[in-house]
Amino acid sequence: MEYTIQKLAELAGVSTRTLRYYDELGILKPARINSSGYRIYGQYEVNLIQQILFYRELGLQLNQIKDIVTDPAFDFAKALHEHRERLLDKRNQLDQLIANVEKTIAHSEGRMKMSDQEKFEGFKQKALKENEDNYGREIREKYGEETVKKSNEKFMNMSEEEYEKSVNIEKEMRELLLNAMKTRDPASELAQRAAQLHKQWLLFHWPSYSKEAHAGLAQMYVDDERFTAYYDQEQPGTAEFLRDAIQIFTGVKNH
């Protein structure tokens, strides 16, 4: 069966503008252009738009999706099994958050006791899962399974006060870093203060601290485009500037 762009848009629940944009990006090309100049899509394209929407639902960026679906080794069946696993993980995360809300309601109504630590358990599990999905393999390769395990345990055992403080320290560090970049000097007082705050933030997550590991992590921020994108989202070059500031702070330079 074949579809015009209008019919495919209706079928997939997206706009024709979105389909045209996907065409421009090279993510989803029509099967052919008919004699009247209209885009015509076939079964392959129907299956492909489903895959694209799955990846979008899972939070992937369009450039990442393009790399996946245009890879000659891309396997529809394998991708569906992977989607299923990720969606089940996502459902488990939502189930944990729902259970957390229900316990909090019962606690507020006096039907049960709930510790402060339990109030944040669902959020922590979600954060750990996202971190594992995004960076788990790279972090394990760099620091080892045991270090990652201890780090996760430390994170899950954080008190409400510690959790909130770690979030605020990272926010303060990010804001300070943007101001420090205006000096263009990673050795400046502002930049070194940002590096110090980064160390404080790490201490909430790492079982132990070393200057070498700190500098190594900063280098990873530059080497891995996902870390770079996270730090560069407000100001391009932030990841490199932070790396340089941390290398000065620790006195360790990676090559």
Side-chain angles (χ1 to χ4, degrees):
M1 187 169 181
E2 292 188 328
Y3 297 86
T4 62
I5 191 171
Q6 184 68 44
K7 291 295 184 181
L8 182 61
E10 292 175 1
L11 179 69
V14 300
S15 67
T16 56
R17 182 179 179 183
T18 294
L19 293 180
R20 291 191 185 95
Y21 184 53
Y22 287 173
D23 186 359
E24 291 173 14
L25 291 178
I27 299 176
L28 179 69
K29 293 284 187 182
R32 62 186 178 87
I33 305 295
N34 69 11
S35 57
S36 300
Y38 291 106
R39 293 173 172 87
I40 302 297
Y41 299 86
Q43 192 59 53
Y44 177 85
E45 288 72 35
V46 171
N47 293 340
L48 187 55
I49 185 63
Q50 182 196 37
Q51 294 287 346
I52 292 168
L53 294 178
F54 274 135
Y55 283 120
R56 290 292 283 165
E57 183 65 27
L58 292 167
L60 273 70
Q61 300 298 313
L62 286 176
N63 62 326
Q64 295 174 297
I65 297 173
K66 180 180 179 180
D67 289 341
I68 293 170
V69 301
T70 59
D71 187 326
F74 179 68
D75 185 325
F76 277 99
K78 181 180 178 183
L80 285 171
H81 284 288
E82 291 174 350
H83 294 322
R84 181 178 182 276
E85 291 303 313
R86 291 189 181 187
L87 289 169
L88 286 172
D89 286 340
K90 194 171 184 180
R91 184 174 72 181
N92 288 336
Q93 292 171 21
L94 288 173
D95 286 344
Q96 289 174 354
L97 290 173
I98 291 169
N100 191 275
V101 170
E102 290 174 344
K103 287 170 69 176
T104 304
I105 291 171
H107 174 73
S108 67
E109 293 175 349
R111 292 186 282 113
M112 67 170 289
K113 294 289 184 181
M114 186 181 192
S115 69
D116 288 338
Q117 185 170 329
E118 285 179 300
K119 293 176 184 177
F120 292 88
E121 190 170 331
F123 297 107
K124 290 178 184 177
Q125 289 283 7
K126 182 174 182 290
L128 277 186
K129 183 65 176 62
E130 289 175 349
N131 190 64
E132 178 65 30
D133 288 343
N134 291 328
Y135 314 114
R137 181 174 60 83
E138 291 82 357
I139 293 174
R140 280 173 167 76
E141 287 177 356
K142 193 170 186 67
Y143 299 107
E145 181 68 38
E146 189 61 26
T147 298
V148 173
K149 180 182 177 182
K150 288 180 179 178
S151 177
N152 289 345
E153 288 174 352
K154 184 171 184 179
F155 179 71
M156 286 304 298
N157 288 326
M158 273 188 197
S159 66
E160 177 186 357
E161 183 180 356
E162 288 171 334
Y163 180 76
E164 193 172 314
K165 190 174 181 180
S166 74
V167 170
N168 289 334
I169 285 177
E170 188 194 17
K171 182 180 178 183
E172 183 184 352
M173 183 270 294
R174 295 287 296 272
E175 292 172 352
L176 188 61
L177 197 55
L178 290 176
N179 289 325
M181 287 185 69
K182 296 174 184 176
T183 70
R184 299 184 179 180
D185 181 8
S188 67
E189 183 178 346
L190 283 177
Q192 290 304 293
R193 173 62 180 154
Q196 170 65 35
L197 285 174
H198 190 267
K199 175 185 175 180
Q200 289 182 31
W201 174 74
L202 282 178
L203 290 173
F204 282 100
H205 301 268
W206 282 7
S208 61
Y209 173 85
S210 77
K211 292 181 178 181
E212 291 75 18
H214 192 183
L217 180 64
Q219 184 63 48
M220 188 189 292
Y221 290 165
V222 176
D223 294 340
D224 191 307
E225 62 182 14
R226 292 165 301 175
F227 284 102
T228 303
Y230 175 74
Y231 280 100
D232 284 10
Q233 57 187 306
E234 294 180 42
Q235 177 66 48
T238 301
E240 286 191 14
F241 188 85
L242 177 59
R243 186 271 314 273
D244 294 344
I246 289 173
Q247 287 184 348
I248 292 169
F249 176 75
T250 60
V252 177
K253 190 162 186 175
N254 291 280
H255 300 282

